[in-house]
Each structure stands twice: as structure tokens, then as C-alpha cells.
Amino acid sequence: MKARWNSDVVHAACWGLLVAGILLLAIYFGSGRLRHFDAALVPYTGAAVFAAFGCGYRFAMWLRRPPTRSYWFSGWRIFFRPSRLPANIARLLQLLFNDFLEQRFIEKRSKLRWAAHWLIAWGCILAAAVTFPLSFGWVHFQNAPHDQHVYRAFFFGQQVFTFHLGGMVALLTFNILDISAVMVLTGVALSLWRRARDRGAIAVQQFAQDMMPLLMLFAISITGLFLTASTHLLHGLNYGFLSMMHAVTVIFALLYLPFGKFFHIFQRSAQLGVQFYKDEGQKGEQARCIRCGEAFASQMHVNDLKNVQSDLNIHYELPQGRHYQEVCPVCRRKSIALAQDGTWRELRTPETTRTLWPDHP
Amino acid sequence: MNEMEFFIDHSRCIGCRACMQACEECDTHRGASMIHLETIMRADSVQTAPQVCMHCEEPICAQVCPADAIKKTADGIVQSSLKPRCIGCSNCVLACPFGVPKYKAEINQMMKCDMCYDRTSIGKGPMCATVCPSGALAFTTREQIERTRQGVAIREWSFGGEVVKTKVNVLVPRHVHRIDVSVEQLGMTSTDEYDVANLLMGEPNGRK
């Protein structure tokens, strides 16, 4: 068991190093061999590289779990089946729109929860899409050679667009982090409101899992907005201190990313694979319960579960070659009750009746 | 010795559904009942049976979860799937030996009985046991249950070669130490729907 654990750790560490290495190479070449890399942002970059290692490590460890591995490989195998690939790509786009862009499945749980999550998620995605490329030197701006009021935006060294400094594009580009901070702060406020009032949430929430990430997002967003306020409203008052505070909050969140609640951002990708797996299962043979004969799941799912259980040392094998996994959940519940009732029925002989209930007629 | 525990005695159930109604009041899954109430064999018997989560010591639902979304609290309660993680695959629904987890397609999430964690975590009894009129579900001390009931409370089950230990107790005769959900009980007992009109007309089994 210990050898297996060590092998898992080495395997995952290798994946972590590979992901971190790819990021370092992307930073080196993406920033024009560090020509556009801002040395003042080294702490951010260091934390991002560590986060890349941590995410690679944890994702690989996660995939070592038998049920995760089973779904991962089945999902990709089904997705890349040549005859279904075009339909699967269309389905993927539909799933991305519903589950990723709109996040409708959360809306069905609670509208308040959905609003909070959508604002936080898209606020963070927007901020990440700006800050990571900027701090890695993948994006930089230059004045146009003949016009100081025109900016040119470069991505991986290639000019992608130009904009006038007085225009709407400039306004959005230079304030996009403030916009994302307001989105995140609104989402955090809604979340805290819900968590303070929802008795179900209050019963199960934990500080480290549920409150800490919200506090972290709050700290990042508010210190970011303070920087803007210091620049535009307070003539740069305490800018150095505030930028250091902001860096600390961002670096802390990056170090936390692979090991805390934020990791669900990566885990949720499995939701897409599961949909393909379910679609495939519905089209295929259905498993019928060995007790009632009713179809209750896809045969593929039942077979895969048996393999997963075997890997996990779960022994549901029954006599006569049957398997408890072939019993539907309804019949399991009935069998439990019958088994419990049966223990009492065994006692109901005239002799035991006289023993248990001497006054019985 | 005086710790409050959950006890289930399936044979006492009278099928009143009070537990199901009360379950819907639980704050962690308001409006949705997490308890199952099964009619065992409608044509032959009025027997019904409730099934709550048994809160296994090593929950199989959590072991087969690909998203690592099912967690057990320090006090031994197996919680509903974590909302940020659950990917709605139904592995837990199919693998639970007691048939407890429910997959809610509309929210793409597994939910299950969490022994009314909003109540039990602050020392109150779970809703279902609080309202059960027949004592099929009880939340009390082991001392009290063994003083007032026949038999003993055990928490060990076997399903084929798999032995499962649970936090929830079941009441059995004194000589029983483990309930074996054996192949005999899993015999081919049909649970097809019955046609009540046929039954009243004296048809042998009233099957549709």
C-alpha cells in the first residue's frame, strides 16, 4: 500500500513539474526571451509557477483514483470516437454554453447562489485573463511610432490591435481589473448574505472550505480597488504599501489554488465528460436488476462500477456468480428490510414465542 | 454510554409517511425528502420499510465518487455531495449498498440523508425519528433502546463478501451479530406493479 502511495506521489510530482516547466518555457518565449517581462512582477510569476506545479500534481493525484480514472478515460474514448466526433463537438459547445458560460445548473439550485457564483466566476476569469498574460510578459503595449495617442497591443510579440487613448476600448482595457473587482465584490457580498441567512448552509459550512476563499477574494479585490483609488483620487497616497498588500493577497490565493476550494475550477471539467458518458450509456444496453428485472442503469456503467469496486477492494460478489451491483437501488432497500425482518421471523416458532412472550395465548 | 444514536427497526414501520413529510422540513434540503419508504410486496402484504442513510464507517459512496465530493464529518455523518464538486455521475447512487443517495437531475447533484445535520449538530433529534409514531425510527440512547425493546442494536452488515459497518443501528434478536443480505433475500421476487382490479376479481397474482 505504501509502495503504491509513493508511486502515486512520484507520478503526480512528475506531472506537476511538467506543467510548471511548460509554463516557464511559455513565459520565456512568450515574453520575447524575457524582453517584455517586468522584473517587478517576479513574486507573482513565482507564485503562478508554484500554482501550476500544485494544480498539475493534484490533478494527476486525482486521476489516480480508480473511479476518476475510469470516467476520465471512458469520457475521452467516447468523445473521440470518429463516427461521433462532429456531433460530440457540437454537444461540447452546447455544454460549454450552458454549464460554463451561463452556469444554468447552479441557477436551478438557487437564483441567489447562481448570481453570486456567476459574478465571482466571471470576475475571476476576466481578471486572470488580464493579469496572467500581463505579468508573464505575453501582453505588452507600445505607443504607435507616429501618434502618441494611439496604443498598440502585442500578444506573444504579435500586434493584435490598436486603440486610441481617449476611446472606449482604452477605458475598458485600463479599467478591466476594476470592473472584475466590482463583479467579484458583488458576488462575495451575495455569497456572504446567503451564508449568513441560509440555515442549511450555516449547518454544513466550514470556515476553511467556505469562508476563507470568500475572504481571500474580498481581500484581493478590495486591495486592487484601493490601488486605483490611490492613483486617481489620492495622488498616489500609500501606493507602495497598497501594492505590497495586493501582491500578498494574490500570492496567497495562488498558493492556495491547488489545495483548497478553488481547485473545483479544474475538477468541474469532469462534468462535461460525464455527460458524454451518460449519453453513450442511454443509447446502449441497459442493465436489468436480478431481483425485479427492471432496467435501472446502463450496462456500461454497471460493468465499469464493478471494475472500479474491484480496484477499491469492494467485494459485492454473491454466490452462484451473481453480483450485488446487479441489484437496483429499490430492491436493495427492500432486501435490507426483508433481511432485518427475517432475523425476527426465524424466532417465531411456538417455542420461541412462549419464551419471548410467556403470556401469549 | 448516554450518547444519542439513531436506531432503525424496519419491521415496526406502519407506512404513515410522517417521516417523509418531516424530512422535507430539514434545512439542508428543504422541500425534498431524502428518506425512502418502500412497499415491500403490495399484493401479499402491507409491509413498508423506511430507509435512511446508514452513515457507513467507510462509505462506499465516497470511495466510488470520481469527484471526491462526498465527505464524512468528524462526528461520523456522511454528508450530501459537495455542490462545487459533484459532477452528477450517479456512481454513489448505484454503489451504495443500502440504495440511499438520490440523483437530482434538475440540479445535476446527488443528495442524501445527512441525519438532519442542521439539527443533530446542535443536539436536536433528526426530523424523521422525532415524528415517527411507531418507533421504527428512533433517536435515543443505546441504554434506553435496549431497555424498552426486544433484541439488541447492531451496526454490521454483509453484502456478498463485503462487510459494512454503520453509524446507524438496526434492531435484531439477541443472537444476531450481523445482518447478512444474502442471495435468498435477493431471490427473483417480482415487484411488478399489481392491478388492484384483477386482485379484487380473484386473479391469482393480479399482475398487469
Side-chain angles (χ1 to χ4, degrees):
Chain A
M1 189 60 123
K2 191 166 182 184
R4 168 75 197 269
W5 173 253
N6 286 339
S7 134
D8 286 350
V9 169
V10 171
H11 171 91
C14 288
W15 275 105
L17 287 172
L18 181 67
V19 174
I22 289 171
L23 179 61
L24 280 170
L25 286 175
I27 291 170
Y28 181 73
F29 290 108
S31 61
R33 297 178 191 273
L34 303 182
R35 201 167 54 248
H36 304 296
F37 183 79
D38 185 350
L41 299 177
V42 162
Y44 286 101
T45 308
V49 171
F50 175 82
F53 168 79
C55 288
Y57 174 87
R58 185 158 174 205
F59 204 88
M61 279 299 264
W62 183 50
L63 286 183
R64 298 292 271 188
R65 302 181 73 242
T68 320
R69 194 167 58 231
S70 169
Y71 266 113
W72 174 263
F73 287 113
S74 297
W76 284 116
R77 180 176 46 79
I78 292 165
F79 182 79
F80 282 116
R81 191 165 292 169
S83 60
R84 300 233 178 105
L85 192 56
N88 284 344
I89 290 171
R91 174 89 168 119
L92 179 65
L93 292 174
Q94 182 200 12
L95 288 171
L96 284 173
F97 186 82
N98 289 335
D99 294 351
F100 180 65
L101 186 70
E102 292 194 314
Q103 304 172 2
R104 289 289 171 197
F105 65 101
I106 303 177
E107 186 190 11
K108 287 167 191 159
R109 295 174 184 174
S110 147
K111 283 197 180 345
L112 182 59
R113 188 186 187 99
W114 170 74
H117 189 273
W118 195 91
L119 285 165
I120 291 174
W122 279 104
C124 288
I125 290 168
L126 209 56
V130 172
T131 48
F132 284 124
L134 271 178
S135 57
F136 295 159
W138 294 345
V139 168
H140 72 277
F141 300 98
Q142 283 180 7
N143 288 112
H146 53 279
D147 187 349
Q148 291 294 300
H149 295 102
V150 173
Y151 254 35
R152 297 187 298 163
F154 291 82
F155 188 62
F156 280 92
Q158 301 299 314
Q159 182 177 320
V160 281
F161 67 99
T162 59
F163 55 92
H164 198 273
L165 284 182
M168 183 58 81
V169 176
L171 190 72
L172 280 175
T173 306
F174 297 140
N175 290 295
I176 201 159
L177 287 178
D178 295 324
I179 295 167
S180 60
V182 170
M183 285 172 73
V184 171
L185 284 174
T186 312
V188 167
L190 291 175
S191 282
L192 290 173
W193 166 266
R194 188 182 70 79
R195 289 195 171 278
R197 294 169 61 87
D198 184 328
R199 284 179 296 186
I202 291 169
V204 295
Q205 69 194 3
Q206 297 171 346
F207 181 81
Q209 270 297 312
D210 301 305
M211 303 308 281
M212 177 97 139
L214 290 175
L215 295 178
M216 240 183 265
L217 292 173
F218 175 81
I220 292 171
S221 306
I222 206 76
T223 51
L225 284 181
F226 280 169
L227 285 173
T228 303
S230 169
T231 305
H232 295 294
L233 305 174
L234 301 169
H235 309 289
L237 181 69
N238 291 331
Y239 192 89
F241 172 74
L242 288 171
S243 63
M244 203 182 298
M245 286 297 292
H246 186 62
V248 167
T249 59
V250 172
I251 289 166
F252 192 69
L254 284 171
L255 301 182
Y256 172 82
L257 175 67
F259 307 107
K261 189 173 189 175
F262 295 147
F263 191 71
H264 81 271
I265 299 162
F266 305 101
Q267 284 180 311
R268 287 235 62 111
S269 59
Q271 182 177 347
L272 304 172
V274 164
Q275 279 305 322
F276 289 106
Y277 187 86
K278 282 184 178 174
D279 293 348
E280 180 83 359
Q282 277 173 357
K283 289 176 199 151
E285 185 190 351
Q286 300 301 298
R288 292 191 172 275
C289 172
I290 56 173
R291 184 171 182 273
C292 68
E294 294 291 324
F296 66 100
S298 73
Q299 190 63 52
M300 175 177 72
H301 198 172
V302 169
N303 292 345
D304 285 347
L305 258 178
K306 283 185 193 171
N307 292 333
V308 165
Q309 286 161 4
S310 172
D311 289 345
L312 291 168
N313 284 324
I314 296 168
H315 299 291
Y316 273 162
E317 295 83 4
L318 298 169
Q320 299 164 357
R322 294 198 241 178
H323 199 283
Y324 194 60
Q325 194 52 60
E326 293 161 355
V327 182
C328 73
V330 175
C331 284
R332 289 182 188 193
R333 297 192 288 269
K334 293 185 179 187
S335 302
I336 301 287
L338 285 169
Q340 189 263 353
D341 193 44
T343 60
W344 290 103
R345 205 173 299 141
E346 286 167 11
L347 288 180
R348 287 173 200 156
T349 61
E351 192 181 332
T352 52
T353 302
R354 275 195 299 280
T355 311
L356 288 169
W357 300 285
D359 299 332
H360 196 274
Chain B
M1 191 64 186
N2 291 322
E3 189 188 343
M4 300 293 276
E5 294 181 56
F6 200 108
F7 300 89
I8 184 166
D9 185 348
H10 300 85
S11 59
R12 277 186 171 231
C13 179
I14 56 171
C16 68
R17 295 177 179 265
C19 54
M20 297 181 75
Q21 296 295 320
C23 185
E24 290 185 14
E25 301 293 325
C26 179
D27 278 325
T28 53
H29 49 81
R30 265 189 308 280
S33 178
M34 290 296 119
I35 198 166
H36 298 272
L37 188 78
E38 296 301 336
T39 302
I40 304 297
M41 245 186 342
R42 189 178 291 277
D44 306 327
S45 154
V46 293
Q47 186 181 3
T48 52
Q51 188 63 55
V52 295
C53 177
M54 302 301 284
H55 299 284
C56 304
E57 285 184 5
E58 292 177 24
I60 290 175
C61 58
Q63 292 180 56
V64 299
C65 175
D68 198 15
I70 303 172
K71 297 291 178 191
K72 197 169 86 165
T73 59
D75 48 354
I77 300 298
V78 183
Q79 296 284 358
S80 269
S81 65
L82 294 170
K83 288 187 180 75
R85 289 195 190 178
C86 179
I87 54 175
C89 68
S90 294
N91 265 12
C92 52
V93 175
L94 294 178
C96 168
F98 301 97
V100 166
K102 292 184 176 186
Y103 170 62
K104 298 278 180 188
E106 63 277 17
I107 56 172
N108 197 26
Q109 192 203 343
M110 178 282 273
M111 295 180 77
K112 60 179 274 301
C113 155
D114 60 1
M115 210 192 272
C116 289
Y117 203 64
D118 57 325
R119 292 171 59 84
T120 49
S121 60
I122 53 171
K124 293 182 178 175
M127 294 296 284
C128 57
T130 307
V131 301
C132 180
S134 66
L137 306 169
F139 190 69
T140 182
T141 62
R142 181 170 290 268
E143 185 185 30
Q144 172 77 358
I145 205 87
E146 293 188 349
R147 189 173 62 77
T148 55
R149 303 280 181 97
Q150 299 283 347
V152 289
I154 62 163
R155 41 188 168 192
E156 197 168 307
W157 307 75
S158 70
F159 304 88
E162 188 66 22
V163 175
V164 174
K165 292 181 181 173
T166 60
K167 182 178 176 70
V168 171
N169 300 274
V170 64
L171 287 154
V172 292
R174 292 190 183 279
H175 71 280
V176 177
H177 302 292
R178 175 196 291 172
I179 290 189
D180 179 21
V181 183
S182 63
V183 74
E184 282 76 29
Q185 277 124 10
L186 294 172
M188 299 295 285
T189 308
S190 174
T191 55
D192 290 348
E193 288 180 33
Y194 292 95
D195 187 322
V196 177
N198 278 351
L199 284 171
L200 292 172
M201 294 292 286
E203 291 292 326
N205 57 19
R207 299 256 156 74
K208 278 183 177 174

